[in-house]
Amino acid sequence: MIGTADPPILAGPDRPRPDPAMPLNTPTPLLLCADDYGLAPGVNAAIRDLIARGRVTATSVMSLCPHWRTDAAALRGLKDKADVGLHFTLTDQPPLGPMPVLAPDGRLPPLGRLMGWAYRGKLDGPAARAEIRDELSRQIAAFTDAWGAAPDYIDGHQHVHQLPGVRDAVVEALAALPGAYVRLCGEPLAAVLRRRVAVPKALLIGGLGGGLARMARARGIPANDRFAGVYDFAGSRPFAELMPRFLEGIGGRPLVMVHPGLPDEELRRVDGLVEPRRAEYDYLGGPEFAALLERRNIRLTRFAGLSPRRAFAG
């Protein structure tokens, strides 16, 4: 698929549950965000290809990974086609600087351990808070140095930006980046239940984000107000079946996250999520996804193209 060109994805008459605040036949704008740029060459190549063809409109960068600096220039040629933000990473990777509390052996903890620390108060101590703040500053600097500009937004690898002890540093960093937005992961309960995709996982991820949403609102930080894309990556349901559910009834300022990639040896070495990335890439680049957007009358856009009439949900 790499290197082929497709026409813009627009229009279609039959979007379900039309938003009464929008004129009839006006396409619903959607921000489609590909996570993990920088993780591996195959992930980077897949994301760039989808951005070039108008199938992805944002990508989140793991700036602590070595494949960010080597592939930043290749992404720079697409900067007018997608938002490029920081995927703040506090799990499973070597940090960019010393973190004797959170990474005493030179490697950040797995997600379960980090979450346990967050909800037992370990991340609230002054030493841990300083480490998180300093590592965030280093990852922003690594992003900016290779990209030539500040990130358009900040979110978190494995949604760590929502955790107690982490979200404070994220909000402070965003407040110092005028115009930057934050990804919120909360969804209305009815939407999660209606979708019937990884319901416990989606509720958990969304439930973690209430504190971040309140803090962002108080500081006037822009954000999406709908979120989807959570599933179990087990491959028990084809991605072609999942995406229509993620797009069901969207409105407001929706963001859907995806994880496309082309398997390569580096990806297999650093991450267990390999074949699902290929499946996502194949679907997002194919005609079935284009037809879905047309049927639902959905227009892929950057954050600036989302409806300005609402700021937050919940």
Side-chain angles (χ1 to χ4, degrees):
M1 289 185 188
I2 290 181
T4 60
D6 291 302
I9 302 171
L10 291 173
D14 62 344
R15 175 171 56 90
R17 295 188 179 89
D19 189 328
M22 299 178 68
L24 290 177
N25 298 320
T26 299
T28 297
L30 170 69
L31 178 62
L32 189 62
C33 180
D35 286 359
D36 302 343
Y37 193 91
L39 182 64
V43 171
N44 296 354
I47 291 173
R48 289 196 306 269
D49 179 54
L50 292 172
I51 291 173
R53 294 194 283 137
R55 300 296 179 94
V56 161
T57 52
T59 188
S60 298
V61 168
M62 299 176 73
S63 67
L64 80 177
C65 293
H67 299 289
W68 161 236
R69 180 169 292 278
T70 58
D71 280 0
L75 182 62
R76 198 176 299 123
L78 301 169
K79 65 180 181 179
D80 293 332
K81 292 180 173 291
D83 295 338
V84 179
L86 177 70
H87 207 40
F88 183 34
T89 303
L90 283 176
T91 58
D92 298 323
Q93 301 290 330
L96 290 176
M99 300 182 73
V101 175
L102 299 187
D105 60 353
R107 191 171 189 86
L108 291 159
L111 178 61
R113 187 181 306 162
L114 184 71
M115 288 181 64
W117 290 348
Y119 287 97
R120 291 197 301 269
K122 181 172 180 176
L123 304 188
D124 290 330
R129 282 181 175 268
E131 286 189 7
I132 292 167
R133 183 185 63 245
D134 291 347
E135 180 62 17
L136 177 54
S137 295
R138 288 190 290 262
Q139 291 186 27
I140 292 173
F143 178 103
T144 303
D145 184 54
W147 184 242
D152 292 318
Y153 63 93
I154 297 176
D155 60 24
H157 182 53
Q158 299 182 313
H159 315 290
V160 300
H161 65 305
Q162 303 188 113
L163 294 176
V166 179
R167 60 195 180 206
D168 309 76
V170 169
V171 168
E172 289 301 319
L174 285 162
L177 298 172
Y181 62 94
V182 65
R183 176 199 289 181
L184 298 181
C185 303
E187 299 182 73
L189 174 61
V192 176
L193 297 178
R194 183 171 59 244
R195 186 182 307 134
R196 303 189 305 280
V197 176
V199 171
K201 183 177 179 180
L203 291 177
L204 173 62
I205 291 171
L208 296 176
L212 176 62
R214 290 188 292 273
M215 294 170 70
R217 183 186 301 115
R219 299 294 291 267
I221 295 168
N224 57 296
D225 64 9
R226 295 292 298 273
F227 176 77
V230 176
Y231 68 106
D232 61 12
F233 300 112
S236 57
R237 300 169 76 174
F239 194 70
E241 179 184 328
L242 298 175
M243 183 56 79
R245 293 178 179 270
F246 295 150
L247 302 186
E248 177 68 25
I250 63 168
R253 310 180 84 182
L255 184 155
V256 173
M257 68 169 181
V258 292
H259 298 82
L262 293 167
D264 57 25
E265 290 307 310
E266 179 63 10
L267 179 59
R268 292 186 176 93
R269 185 182 71 82
V270 299
D271 191 67
L273 183 58
V274 177
E275 290 307 321
R277 292 184 189 270
R278 184 200 294 273
E280 291 195 23
Y281 169 71
D282 289 344
Y283 175 80
L284 293 170
E288 191 173 352
F289 182 49
L292 174 66
L293 295 176
E294 184 174 357
R295 288 196 308 273
R296 299 287 180 89
N297 197 18
I298 292 170
R299 174 178 57 86
L300 299 185
T301 182
R302 299 172 66 175
F303 184 81
L306 297 180
S307 169
R309 68 185 182 279
R310 295 173 61 196
F312 295 97

